[in-house]
Structure formats: structure tokens, C-alpha cells
Amino acid sequence: MMIYADNAATTKMSETAIKAMMTVINESWGNPSSLYSHGQNAAEALEKARKTIAAQIGADPREIVFTSGGSEADNQAIISAAEAGKKNGKKHIISTAIEHHAVLHTLEKLKKDGFEITLLGVHENGIVIPSEVEAAIRGDTCLVTVMYANNEIGTIQPVREIGGICRRKNVLFHTDAVQAAGHIPINVKDDNIDMLSASAHKFHGPKGVGFLYAGKGVRLTSLIEGGAQERGKRAGTENVSGIAAMAAALEEANEKMAENAARLTSARDRIIEGLKKIPHSALNGDPVRRLPGNVNFCFEGIEGESLLLLLDDRGICASSGSACTSGSLDPSHVLLAIGRAHDVAHGSLRLSIGEDITDGEVDHIIRSVGEVVSYLRGFSPVWRDLTSGKKEFIL
Ligand SMILES: *Cc1c(COP(=O)(O)O)cnc(C)c1O
């Protein structure tokens, strides 16, 4: 048995996406910038994909720039707003403590360039408080960037409300929607979004391709110098087959969204109920305002890494913290931001289940996690200290 429960890290390409990719590779492999008809086939495939993607999020095709993925889109959105702000003497940016590193590290870099960064905290359920965003906006604020849904604890942010505040205050609003796109409904106009990042491999498209939505009037800076592709906003020959596959994947994900979300939510909630029965455990994030496929728990007295290895032995692919922080000994910045103690944050488990999960697999996950946690606690010195009263339980 192999249960892939790490869809927040990446997803398997759908048959539809593979087919769309192969069609371009076989039939429209020309350079979309070439003038002869074979190049024009590729240009048509590219523009068709742009139209499809724009329609999926309520945008105009001219507002979509293709990138190499979510990280590049995040970088470009933030750098563009910073460059524009700098010209007007506005060097203050507001974001949150729970963003993806593609956002946080870009902001760190801007700090060295003299930008002031306000990182807002979150409720203990992992939700950003809109009134705090409003209170943080100043005369020199050039950007607010708040993710749509969190990649670790799955919390869905009040994006529409935050976007509305930014509109009223005349400040640009960017959202990293990499975990949201294809999973929950998004409409850039209704949600008051100026810029949005998405990545194909998080919704059953290929890796290495994504897009940045930038509304009319938003000035984008190209991060890459070269040709005039993407209306001068992103040089380099477009990844046409990847882009076509991304469009097909997003369209399909949105078509099946309601059905998938219902299925996932019911499996998710069953896993949450099951894992809650493990003593000294706690759900991370909000029980309701969370992505349909996200489960994230802390178990006191164990190490997340050993938990993952033993779950792997039982055919379960999961994650502890995010893929980018695993391998380092720092606990997840997201878990710390929701107030988890260092020790507790080390014992975290993220299960991001897929649409094809069966009832039997849900049972296997619940049973395996319970058994592995209690097995690991059996020889954990921390657990011994907790049970002997030498240390106090937090959870
Ligand atoms: C995966 C992810 C990214 C990075 O996307 P890539 O396409 O892998 O560069 C950015 N933000 C969030 C929230 C993500 O989950």
C-alpha cells in the first residue's frame, strides 16, 4: 500500500494535464515568438492557455504572466511593488509571520535595501486579523502581502476583507495563492486582489511552471533580462507544453472542485477526529477555515522526523513542517507563530491528502499514526520526563 498524503508539497499530474502537455510537445513545439505558422501554432497554444487560466480566476488574459512557478511569481510580485514604491518614497511592506519562504526571504532581502517590513502575527488558530492589517497600514506602505491559504496548517485567510481594506487605503495587495488555486474558489475581482501567485504542481499540473496575475494598472518589473516575451514582463521562451498542461489542470481542478472538496473534507475530518483521540495531541490551525485536504497535528514527546520514517515503513508519505524546513533543526515558523512551544512544534505531522483517498486508507492512517506515536513515546526520554512529572505537559 502507498498512501500519498503530501499533496501540499506536490501533486501527481492528472491524465488531462499529461495529455495537454504531450499534444503541445508533439504538435506545437515551435517557438511561440517565431512568425512562421509552426511557431504560430505554439503561440496559439500559449494564448489559449492564458485565456483558460484568466477565466478560472476572473481575470483578463492580459493580466496573466507565466513564470517558472510559485516562488518566482511571489518574488516578482513583491519586487515589482517594492520598485514602484521606492520611486514614490514608499518603503514599508506589510506581511505575516506564516508566509511561505518565497515571500519571507524576498522580504528579508528588501530589508537590506532599506525597506521596513511589518510581519503581523496570527490568531492561535492561524488566521490573520484584518483589523491588524488596517492598523499597520501607513502613508509609506507600498504593499500588503498575505497568503490565501497556508501550506503547513491549511488555514484559509480572510483575503477578500484584507483586499477590501487595501483598496480603501489605496495600497497594493498581493496574495500567494499557491495552496488555494484549484482547491478553493478564487476570483481576483471579488476578492480585491491586485496580484496573485499560483503554481501548477500544486493542482495536478507539472513542476516548474506557474503564473502571476497582475491587475491592470499594476506595474511589473521583469526579474529576467532578455527578449520581449510576456509583454516584456518575463524574458525567455515560454514553457509552452508546461503552460498548456497547467491550464488544463486548473480547469479540471475547478470543474471538480465542489465534488473533490466534499470528499476531502469528510476524509479530513474523520482523520482529525481519529487523531484527536491520541493523548496529548492537538490539531494545528482552524478546524473549519482550512483547506479541504489538510491535517496538521502536534504530538507531545516525539520527534516529527522519526514519525515520518515509521509512517513511511507503513506506506504513508507525509511531512513534518514544510518540505523547505525539513532537514534543518529549526521548528516550523508557522507552528511557532500560532504559539506552539519549540518542543511541541518538533513533534508535528502534516497530512495533505488527495482526492482519491479511500475509507480504508483513512482508517489505515488513523491506526498507523496512533501506533507509531505510542511506539515512539515508549523510548522517548522527553515522554518519560512528562509521565514521571519531571516535566509538565503542554498539550
Ligand atoms: C509550493 C509553494 C510555493 C512555491 O511554489 P513553487 O512552484 O514550488 O516554486 C509558494 N508558496 C506556497 C504557499 C507554496 O505552497
Side-chain angles (χ1 to χ4, degrees):
M1 186 181 326
M2 200 277 264
I3 305 174
Y4 184 74
D6 203 14
N7 287 278
T10 197
T11 58
K12 182 174 192 266
M13 273 182 80
S14 68
E15 290 300 325
T16 315
I18 294 171
K19 212 172 131 216
M21 182 175 240
M22 293 315 290
T23 303
V24 170
I25 288 175
N26 287 315
E27 295 166 21
S28 312
W29 49 266
N31 188 320
S33 297
S34 302
L35 290 178
Y36 42 77
S37 56
H38 189 56
Q40 285 311 295
N41 289 344
E44 268 166 36
L46 187 64
E47 293 320 309
K48 183 169 159 254
R50 199 186 306 278
K51 234 169 127 174
T52 301
I53 285 171
Q56 297 306 311
I57 59 164
D60 186 275
R62 281 168 302 184
E63 298 172 319
I64 305 295
V65 173
F66 293 121
T67 67
S68 66
S71 300
E72 186 187 332
D74 283 341
N75 274 255
Q76 187 168 17
I78 295 167
I79 302 278
S80 297
E83 297 265 316
K86 200 153 92 177
K87 286 196 188 104
N88 303 317
K90 294 182 170 186
K91 294 182 77 172
H92 176 234
I93 297 175
I94 299 167
S95 188
T96 81
I98 62 163
E99 299 298 310
H100 189 272
H101 284 129
V103 168
L104 291 176
H105 291 169
T106 306
L107 295 175
E108 277 301 316
K109 208 166 137 189
L110 286 173
K111 230 190 220 173
K112 295 192 187 101
D113 196 22
F115 279 81
E116 216 184 304
I117 312 295
T118 301
L119 286 189
L120 299 172
V122 289
H123 271 295
E124 59 181 40
N125 64 354
I127 310 270
V128 177
I129 305 153
S131 64
E132 288 189 3
V133 175
E134 178 149 24
I137 294 176
R138 317 189 309 209
D140 62 344
T141 306
C142 62
L143 175 71
V144 170
T145 172
V146 176
M147 70 200 318
Y148 210 115
N150 185 267
N151 46 301
E152 292 187 40
I153 57 173
T155 44
I156 299 168
Q157 303 301 334
V159 163
R160 188 169 297 187
E161 212 178 328
I162 295 169
I165 291 166
C166 295
R167 279 281 145 85
R168 275 205 312 285
K169 298 263 184 174
N170 210 13
V171 176
L172 276 182
F173 176 51
H174 165 253
T175 187
D176 173 340
V178 175
Q179 289 291 331
H183 299 277
I184 54 173
I186 295 176
N187 183 296
V188 290
K189 301 289 180 312
D190 295 346
D191 293 343
N192 306 306
I193 296 165
D194 295 310
M195 289 185 281
L196 174 144
S197 311
S199 177
H201 76 102
K202 303 290 176 76
F203 50 79
H204 302 289
K207 291 161 198 39
V209 59
F211 67 89
L212 173 61
Y213 155 82
K216 284 186 196 75
V218 177
R219 286 184 63 91
L220 288 185
T221 308
S222 180
L223 301 182
I224 299 170
E225 301 305 325
Q229 291 91 349
E230 298 294 295
R231 303 167 148 250
K233 304 304 180 205
R234 207 275 185 181
T237 303
E238 293 89 345
N239 174 4
V240 187
S241 60
I243 290 165
M246 168 164 67
L250 187 58
E251 192 174 35
E252 185 182 35
N254 284 350
E255 273 165 17
K256 295 186 177 165
M257 185 184 285
E259 182 194 327
N260 284 341
R263 223 183 133 70
L264 284 169
T265 303
S266 120
R268 175 197 77 188
D269 290 346
R270 216 150 74 68
I271 297 173
I272 290 176
E273 284 316 307
L275 299 190
K276 264 188 186 163
K277 298 202 178 97
I278 298 173
H280 305 284
S281 69
L283 175 71
N284 294 311
D286 193 274
V288 179
R289 290 160 72 183
R290 75 188 300 133
L291 290 168
N294 176 287
V295 175
N296 192 312
F297 263 82
C298 279
F299 303 103
E300 202 160 6
I302 61 157
E303 283 291 335
E305 276 69 26
S306 10
L307 180 57
L308 292 190
L309 293 175
L310 291 176
L311 286 178
D312 187 25
D313 283 344
R314 290 159 177 257
I316 300 169
C317 311
S319 139
S320 180
S322 71
C324 320
T325 27
S326 59
S328 81
L329 278 173
D330 292 335
S332 143
H333 65 287
V334 177
L335 296 180
L336 295 181
I338 60 169
R340 293 285 181 226
H342 268 70
D343 279 2
V344 170
H346 273 303
S348 78
L349 172 71
R350 177 185 72 186
L351 296 158
S352 40
I353 54 175
E355 298 81 10
D356 54 356
I357 193 158
T358 65
D359 285 345
E361 289 173 340
V362 167
D363 293 335
H364 180 70
I365 289 175
I366 297 170
R367 195 170 49 241
S368 300
V369 175
E371 286 169 5
V372 168
V373 167
S374 90
Y375 171 76
L376 286 170
R377 282 174 172 171
F379 50 85
S380 149
V382 180
W383 184 252
R384 200 173 51 225
D385 288 351
L386 288 166
T387 45
S388 68
K390 217 163 132 193
K391 250 176 114 175
E392 272 193 53
F393 280 109
I394 299 173
L395 302 180

